[in-house]
Amino acid sequence: MPNAVRSGLACSLLLTALSALLGAAPARADGSFPQARQILLRQDRPEQIVLVTNFGLIFSEDGGKTWLFSCEQGLSAYAGPYLLGAAPSNRIFGVAAGAGLIYSDDDSCSWQAAGGAFSGVLPYAFTVDPATAQRVYAIGVPRDDYRNGDSIYVSNDGGLSFGQPVFTSPARSALLSVLVAPSRPSRLFATMFSTPENHPSLLRSDDSGEHWTVAADLVESLGENPFELLAIDPLDEDRLYVRILGASAETLATSDDGGLSFIPSLSIPGKLNAFLKLATGTILVGGTAGKEAVGYRSKDGGQSFEPWPGAPHVHALAERNGKLYVTGDSYADGYAIAESDDEGAHLRPLARFDQVQAVKSCVANLCADSCAYHAGIGLWPEAVCGTAGTSPSVNDADGGAAPDMAASDVAAGAPGGVESGQARRPRISGGGCRCGWVPRRRVEDWTALLILGAMLVGRRVRRVPRGTRPVENV
C-alpha cells in the first residue's frame, strides 16, 4: 500500500495513538485550524443542513438560521469523510480512525461500527448506492495483514455488516476510490494504481460489485499518476470525472466512453478540493494554489473553463432544489458556509463557527469538554456550552443569513455581509497532523513523526508521485 496514498489513514491512526500515549484532551479540530470540510443535505428535510468540520458536525434544522454542535465522541473520534445513505433511512456514514466504518441513524446522537467480515478491516474509502439504502461499498485492508492487496467489500444490509471481499488488488497495487453510476446503480467503477510500473487502471463492475474487470490501463491518458473518481454523470454512466494526482498539480479529466480514455481539461498548481455538476449542467471546481483560493466554472460540460470570480477557499460544494451551498474558510473568507441562487455568482454567508448557539441535547454531556475547549480558543462564546437543545432561540441578528452580496465582495470582506475581520482566529499553538485526507492534518511534532514512521515501516514500501492523497469530499 503506497505510503503517500495512505498518509491520511496513517495520520488518523497516529492521532488516536497520540491521544492514548500523551493523554490528549477532547478532540481539538485535530490540531489544525477549525475548518468546514463537507456539506450533507437530505432531500426529505429541506431545511436541514449538516456541516462537517474537522472537529465534529454542526446541524441546522431551519435553513441556516440556528446551528447546533455535535462533537467527535466515542466511535466517531477523528472521523471523516462522511456520506449520507439513500432514503428512507438517510443513515450517516463515516470512517473513524479506531472503529473503521461507522454509522448513525439519529443524526450523530449515537454511532455503531460495521460488523461481519469488515470488523477486522481498516477502511479508507467508501461509497453508498444512491438507489437503495441497503447497499454500501467500501475499500480497505485487513488490520492484521497490510502486506497483501487492498480489497472491495459489499454490504447488503445498509452497512451493518459486510461479506468477504469481492475483489482484491494484485500485490504492489492500491485501490483508491469507488463510485456507483447514479443512472445505472448496477454499474460501479474503482480506481487502481500499480507499482513499480506506475500504471493507473480503471476497474468496472456491471453486477452491483460482485465481479470486477480491468476496464482500461490509463497510462496513455493520465500518465504515470494515480487518480481518483470525482463523479459519474447522473444521466450518463459513461461520462466520468476524475482527479489526476500529479507531483506538482492536480488535474480534472473527463471520459465520455465509460473510462476507456480521458481528456484533461483543467489543472490547478496545488489542490483540487471540490467538484460539482449542477442540475443546470454548469460545473464548478474549487481549489487552492498555495494559500490562494481558486475557482472555475464550465458551461460546456467540462470542455472549457472560465475563472469563478471571488471564489472562496472551497472544500465542499452541494446542491439541493436549485440552491448551491459552498464551504469557505471561516477566517480567510469570513464564513464557514454560504448559499447561492445563481450558481455562485453571489454568495450569502449562512454561518461562522462563532454563530453556533448550543450543543445538541442528545450529546450535551459527551461534548461538554470539547465544547469548553473550543470556547477557550475563541471559536464560539462560552455561553454555547451552557445550553443544549434541538431548537435554541436566536438572540442576536448574527444568527441568521447575511444579506446578499457578490462572491468577489465576500472574498474582499466588503460591507453588507460577514466581514473577514469579524471572524476571530483561534489561539492554537503547537503541532498537529496535516496528512492530506479529510480532514487534512499537519505532522509537526517529533513524537508524532516517530510514531508515524514506526507505523509506516510495517507497510510495504512503494513509490508514488508526491502529493498523492485519497479522495476528499467532492
Side-chain angles (χ1 to χ4, degrees), residues 26-37 51-58 68-73 76-80 82 330-331 336 352-354 356 367 370-371 373-375 377 379-380 426 428 438-439 441:
R28 302 179 176 182
D30 301 330
S32 59
F33 282 107
Q35 293 177 329
R37 290 301 189 185
L51 183 62
V52 177
T53 75
N54 57 349
F55 57 93
L57 305 178
I58 299 176
L68 300 174
F69 173 55
S70 179
C71 65
E72 295 178 335
Q73 36 90 12
S76 69
Y78 300 112
Y82 293 87
S330 197
Y331 312 107
R352 304 182 305 268
F353 290 137
D354 62 3
V356 170
C367 295
S370 178
C371 183
Y373 170 79
H374 289 102
I377 65 172
L379 189 64
W380 49 55
I428 298 179
V438 178
R441 300 155 180 163

Side-chain angles (χ1 to χ4, degrees), residues 361-373:
S361 59
C362 61
V363 292
N365 292 332
L366 293 172
C367 295
D369 290 342
S370 178
C371 183
Y373 170 79

Side-chain angles (χ1 to χ4, degrees), residues 47 49 60 62-67 323 325 335 337-341 347-352 355 357 394 396-405 416-418:
E47 294 298 304
I49 305 170
S60 176
D62 53 14
K65 296 182 178 65
T66 59
W67 296 87
K323 181 172 290 185
Y325 295 88
Y335 58 84
I337 183 171
E339 63 180 4
S340 173
D341 294 316
L347 295 172
R348 292 185 298 274
L350 281 178
R352 304 182 305 268
Q355 291 172 245
Q357 281 92 5
V394 180
D396 56 69
D398 287 341
D404 186 28
M405 57 193 303
V418 180

